[in-house]
Amino acid sequence: MTSDKKSKIEFAPNVMLIDASYLDRVGRDMANHFSPIVNRQLPKADLASLLECLALDAGVVLGENTVQVILIYDSSEKHMSFCTPSDLEKELNNVAFKSQLGEFSIYSFQPSDMATCEELFNEALMLAGESKDVRRVIAVADEDAYREKTHTVLNKIKGKDNVTLFGMNPPSGEASYSFEMLGFAILQALGIKADEL
């Protein structure tokens, strides 16, 4: 029996992998952009609601699902400023909540001294893609920093019910996975209704 890293990670059937720094940057930009448009101060986004929106947009249906949320973050950015809860070390690691979609378990990881967020994100994505336990892969990657690498990893994932990438710009090349707009879920989590726009 080998004691490699792959055997240590236990994945749920639904894995949501999120670059927390990127999500926070997009969320902040959208809150700043839409506040004057809807003519009101926007509340902090509800992270649980955002995760539910992402799961629904990726095809998770109501029921007793298990969704494993893995937040990757840089040690210099331990808080997400646009949402609540926001502390990646204290509030968003090894916690869970239940909703109509099932149970969401949240874990936060930062890269070791030797690795970058990009490397940790894409390695975790690759491991989830290779895991026999995982049926659905949901990714929110930093499309400004490492879009091409993530695109390559996602295109290699085979045999899953669904593989979805969330971002602000659709992939330019051929993709074997689905793409969804991250902005829609963020708007909903910020409490912005369609009739306000």
Side-chain angles (χ1 to χ4, degrees):
M1 205 164 118
T2 60
S3 62
D4 64 347
K5 263 201 292 195
K6 291 182 189 181
S7 59
K8 288 182 192 157
I9 298 182
E10 285 188 26
F11 288 112
N14 301 288
V15 172
M16 190 181 292
L17 188 59
I18 298 175
D19 184 311
S21 305
Y22 173 74
L23 179 66
D24 191 44
R25 198 163 67 243
V26 174
R28 233 178 13 241
D29 288 351
M30 287 190 69
N32 292 337
H33 177 77
F34 281 98
S35 188
I37 293 174
V38 298
N39 201 18
R40 62 186 171 90
Q41 186 66 43
L42 293 171
K44 295 235 182 223
D46 175 31
L47 186 63
S49 163
L50 176 59
L51 295 175
E52 284 182 279
C53 289
L54 292 173
L56 283 166
D57 287 349
V60 176
V61 293
L62 299 182
E64 290 299 312
N65 301 290
T66 323
V67 182
Q68 184 177 31
V69 181
I70 299 170
L71 298 166
I72 307 283
Y73 69 101
D74 199 299
S75 57
S76 63
E77 298 174 338
K78 294 178 179 170
H79 281 85
M80 289 193 287
S81 60
F82 88 103
C83 66
T84 178
S86 62
D87 189 316
L88 289 153
E89 281 186 331
K90 299 189 177 88
E91 299 174 306
L92 293 170
N93 188 26
N94 214 2
V95 294
F97 70 90
K98 278 192 100 88
S99 82
Q100 296 174 301
L101 291 173
E103 182 164 86
F104 286 72
S105 307
I106 304 171
Y107 304 92
S108 295
F109 297 98
Q110 54 183 329
S112 64
D113 299 338
M114 303 300 287
T116 62
C117 275
E118 172 183 349
E119 289 162 341
L120 182 58
F121 185 95
N122 285 311
E123 185 183 351
L125 189 59
M126 194 178 71
L127 292 175
E130 289 170 355
S131 168
K132 304 247 187 307
D133 300 324
V134 177
R135 301 306 318 147
R136 186 185 308 276
V137 177
I138 302 164
V140 179
D142 187 335
E143 64 185 15
D144 304 322
Y146 50 86
R147 162 193 284 257
E148 285 311 310
K149 178 76 178 144
T150 301
H151 175 74
T152 304
V153 175
L154 285 168
N155 271 334
K156 287 180 181 162
I157 297 176
K158 302 285 182 261
K160 304 293 178 209
D161 295 346
N162 195 296
V163 178
T164 307
L165 174 68
F166 283 87
M168 299 305 280
N169 300 289
S172 48
E174 284 286 306
S176 63
Y177 53 88
S178 318
F179 176 83
E180 294 287 340
M181 283 299 286
L182 176 60
F184 296 143
I186 291 176
L187 284 179
Q188 196 149 358
L190 286 167
I192 297 175
K193 310 266 186 296
D195 57 14
E196 289 186 276
L197 300 174

